[in-house]
Amino acid sequence: LNAFSKNVNVIPQNSLLTVQKAGELISAVSGNEFNNQLKEIWNSIAGTEFNPNHILTRRELAMIVDSLLRPFETKSIGFDGNYTELKDQFTETLHQN
């Protein structure tokens, strides 16, 4: 999430990540509120009743982030695997040729 947006600094903690906390972090990074969408996404990926205190697995978190932020569609990825601005990617391509 830190790589996706420089506007918010997500600090790693030793506590486990809940659905609610993940939604708060994703909302902070994107600047959008996702409460209703988070419930819909949870129902489609988990097949269980929405529980904001559910501890997320990495897979569940990846599916939520992909559904809400769409990181591979909204940002450009450089050859090194990091997000890059489109102009930087174009410049890198020119220098390689």
Side-chain angles (χ1 to χ4, degrees), residues 45-58:
I45 66 170
T48 61
E49 186 176 332
F50 179 77
N51 176 1
N53 297 317
H54 173 79
I55 304 298
L56 289 172
T57 65
R58 286 180 185 226

Side-chain angles (χ1 to χ4, degrees), residues 23-68:
E24 292 169 4
L25 292 171
I26 294 168
S27 292
V29 166
S30 69
N32 297 314
E33 188 62 41
F34 290 116
N35 286 337
N36 293 333
Q37 293 160 309
L38 184 59
K39 290 178 185 179
E40 291 174 18
I41 290 167
W42 181 258
N43 290 335
S44 70
I45 66 170
T48 61
E49 186 176 332
F50 179 77
N51 176 1
N53 297 317
H54 173 79
I55 304 298
L56 289 172
T57 65
R58 286 180 185 226
R59 180 178 185 265
E60 291 167 340
L61 178 61
M63 293 172 74
I64 290 170
V65 168
D66 188 53
S67 297
L68 293 176

Side-chain angles (χ1 to χ4, degrees), residues 12-22 25 52-57 61:
Q13 299 176 355
N14 289 333
S15 60
L16 299 174
L17 188 62
T18 64
V19 175
Q20 179 177 349
K21 184 64 178 174
L25 292 171
N53 297 317
H54 173 79
I55 304 298
L56 289 172
T57 65
L61 178 61

